[in-house]
Amino acid sequence: GQNIDQPTEMTATEGAIVQINCTYQTSGFNGLFWYQQHAGEAPTFLSYNVLDGLEEKGRFSSFLSRSKGYSYLLLKELQMKDSASYLCAVRPTSSNTGKLIFGQGTTLQVKP
Amino acid sequence: DTGVSQDPRHKITKRGQNVTFRCDPISEHNRLYWYRQTLGQGPEFLTYFQNEAQLEKSRLLSDRFSAERPKGSFSTLEIQRTEQGDSAMYLCASSPPAGRAFDTQYFGPGTRLTVL
């Protein structure tokens, strides 16, 4: 089966750093994606990992360990606008259509 | 290009009625996906089109659901005899042809369906 786990909720302080973890068990692996979704809006693409290691993009970084089935999204210098849901998604190789399997999302609340 | 668009943004209907949603993908994106998202959950895959061909359907897509992409551009998702359990956000996403740098899926704003 396909299973992606991430914490349901997290709270952090403006200006701080927060790490959102994601573990996955899927039928094969062909990439892991992180999306940001503000309430009532569409998911927007943040990052993509297909090889082990860290990908950095401004205040956002994403890490992948394929052997551990583990990824994290690191958000630095948190801003109030970062309050949103963060979705971890895996593209399994069991399908050649590129469909994504999503976790339930982590709701991040940034407090002043 | 303004991204993926969906219409309508909101739909309220009575149980038993039929509804149809439209998705216009980013131009030159030949791959199109439909997902369903309920409150507090991540999106769940429903179906996939490559050009006009529907190549994969989730078992979530019951016989009451049908999707088309007749000319390989826009797509429609129809739900017949709606049930209260169909209430959800229906998201459309598109991506460029496979083999590009990485075929990230870009999502539309979604259609929120409420079945009374």
Side-chain angles (χ1 to χ4, degrees):
Chain A
Q2 324 271 33
N3 192 46
I4 298 176
D5 287 318
Q6 48 181 133
T8 304
E9 295 180 343
M10 297 184 72
T11 302
T13 305
E14 190 176 15
I17 299 173
V18 70
Q19 177 175 311
I20 302 174
N21 296 323
C22 171
T23 57
Y24 63 89
Q25 290 179 309
T26 56
S27 303
F29 176 85
N30 190 23
L32 185 142
F33 297 77
W34 284 95
Y35 283 83
Q36 180 190 61
Q37 186 176 30
H38 285 98
E41 298 182 10
T44 55
F45 169 75
L46 288 178
S47 70
Y48 167 74
N49 296 72
V50 67
L51 300 177
D52 291 350
L54 189 68
E55 294 285 339
E56 297 186 83
K57 189 186 296 185
R59 295 189 299 115
F60 293 70
S61 303
S62 57
F63 172 83
L64 174 67
S65 169
R66 289 172 296 171
S67 62
K68 295 182 179 178
Y70 168 70
S71 172
Y72 68 72
L73 179 69
L74 194 70
L75 292 75
K76 303 175 184 176
E77 301 170 12
L78 280 172
Q79 302 175 10
M80 298 300 291
K81 67 178 182 179
D82 296 330
S83 292
S85 178
Y86 291 86
L87 299 163
C88 173
V90 171
R91 185 166 57 196
T93 53
S94 57
S95 165
N96 61 1
T97 63
K99 72 179 181 185
L100 298 177
I101 309 299
F102 282 86
Q104 66 178 14
T106 298
T107 300
L108 173 67
Q109 185 179 17
V110 179
K111 294 186 174 179
Chain B
D1 194 354
T2 56
V4 180
S5 62
Q6 292 186 245
D7 183 71
R9 296 290 307 276
H10 302 274
K11 178 69 176 179
I12 300 174
T13 191
K14 293 182 178 179
R15 188 177 52 188
Q17 297 295 306
N18 300 343
V19 294
T20 300
F21 310 142
R22 175 179 171 127
C23 169
D24 287 88
I26 295 172
S27 59
E28 298 181 355
H29 280 192
N30 68 333
R31 310 179 97 184
L32 187 145
Y33 304 81
W34 284 98
Y35 292 85
R36 181 172 67 187
Q37 185 176 28
T38 54
L39 198 63
Q41 300 297 316
E44 295 177 292
F45 170 78
L46 292 178
T47 191
Y48 163 75
F49 288 87
Q50 183 167 310
N51 299 311
E52 67 277 6
Q54 187 175 20
L55 298 185
E56 185 170 352
K57 292 169 58 175
S58 164
R59 61 176 182 270
L60 291 175
L61 217 64
S62 75
D63 292 344
R64 297 184 298 105
F65 288 71
S66 62
E68 295 183 340
R69 194 183 184 196
K71 297 182 179 179
S73 57
F74 73 91
S75 175
T76 58
L77 177 67
E78 180 182 17
I79 309 174
Q80 296 182 327
R81 305 181 303 281
T82 53
E83 302 173 356
Q84 289 184 324
D86 297 331
S87 295
M89 175 77 85
Y90 290 84
L91 293 164
C92 176
S94 70
S95 67
R100 299 284 176 91
F102 54 90
D103 50 350
T104 300
Q105 293 181 28
Y106 297 90
F107 284 83
T111 295
R112 180 167 296 283
L113 173 66
T114 302
V115 181
L116 302 175

